[in-house]
Amino acid sequence: MTLPALFANLKLPVIAAPMFIISTPDLVIAQVRSGIVGSFPALNARPAAQLDEWLHRLTEETAGCDAPFAVNVIVHKTNTRLDEDMALLAKWRVPLVITSLGAREDINTAVKGWGGIVMHDVINDTFAHKAVEKGADGLIAVAAGAGGHAGTQSPLALMQEIRAWFDGPLALSGAIACGRSILAAQAMGADFAYIGTPWIATIE
């Protein structure tokens, strides 16, 4: 499958995973300017009004870059900010939205409505099917070794199961921290490596 044009000019096939507290505008801007997808959780912007300021800054300071930025939203019903945050993502036409903890057709439709792309976190093949059925454009296979809401499956098994039926954009997460691991992810069928923990030790 041909990847969406949004990813055409990445310098490395890498999406920086959104990390609680760690992922700030400074880090995301540095990631994007380095040629990879930078991302942050919407809930890192506190109070909620700060998200508008962050998106304004990111839009301005990454304009003209080869890589896009992404925002992660928790779509579970416990996220009381979801509607407010989605309105701001729509206002700034965020190019890539990463959804977690639930697949929602209305969220996917909204993002596509402003021309964005949705990639959804999944920890197994069952959730992968559900996400695509609900309209996700791409998947993030969260395998054993990943941080955050980690799956338990071997990346070898999880990638094989998903690639047996899904030919859309696919990222692999799970203890990827060097070029050899990025290459291994691609060999298993991933389009992107999804990398989080190594950024903790970086200076933006």
Side-chain angles (χ1 to χ4, degrees):
M1 172 193 168
T2 302
L3 290 173
L6 185 68
F7 303 114
N9 297 312
L10 297 183
K11 292 181 182 175
L12 284 173
V14 170
I15 298 173
M19 292 183 290
F20 181 60
I21 299 177
I22 300 296
S23 300
T24 63
D26 286 342
L27 179 57
V28 175
I29 289 165
Q31 290 164 338
V32 170
R33 289 179 175 173
S34 296
I36 66 170
V37 179
S39 75
F40 71 97
L43 294 175
N44 275 9
R46 301 179 184 192
Q50 190 178 55
L51 181 60
D52 191 39
E53 300 170 15
W54 283 20
L55 292 174
H56 185 185
R57 182 184 170 199
L58 285 163
T59 301
E60 286 194 342
E61 296 191 31
T62 64
C65 291
D66 290 332
F69 71 88
V71 179
N72 171 229
V73 291
I74 303 298
V75 299
H76 192 268
K77 62 184 178 181
T78 55
N79 180 9
T80 58
R81 276 180 44 175
L82 180 59
D83 291 343
E84 183 179 358
D85 288 350
M86 285 300 299
L88 290 172
L89 268 60
K91 172 184 175 181
W92 293 102
R93 295 180 175 269
V94 171
L96 178 60
V97 176
I98 298 167
T99 53
S100 302
L101 299 182
R104 286 188 38 183
E105 189 171 356
D106 59 329
I107 298 293
N108 296 335
T109 299
V111 176
K112 292 178 184 182
W114 71 69
I117 291 172
V118 178
M119 295 188 73
H120 187 70
D121 282 348
V122 297
I123 60 170
N124 60 43
D125 194 50
T126 299
F127 288 136
H129 276 280
K130 182 182 291 187
V132 172
E133 288 165 5
K134 299 258 184 200
D137 300 292
L139 299 170
I140 300 163
V142 184
H149 305 285
T152 58
Q153 276 190 268
S154 158
L156 293 164
L158 185 55
M159 289 298 300
Q160 183 173 335
E161 289 182 355
I162 294 174
R163 271 302 187 218
W165 60 272
F166 181 67
D167 67 352
L170 179 57
L172 176 63
S173 175
I176 300 174
C178 66
R180 294 187 302 276
S181 297
I182 295 171
L183 183 60
Q186 290 181 303
M188 283 186 273
D191 298 299
F192 312 101
Y194 198 66
I195 301 176
T197 304
W199 310 122
I200 295 173
T202 62
I203 297 173
E204 286 72 10

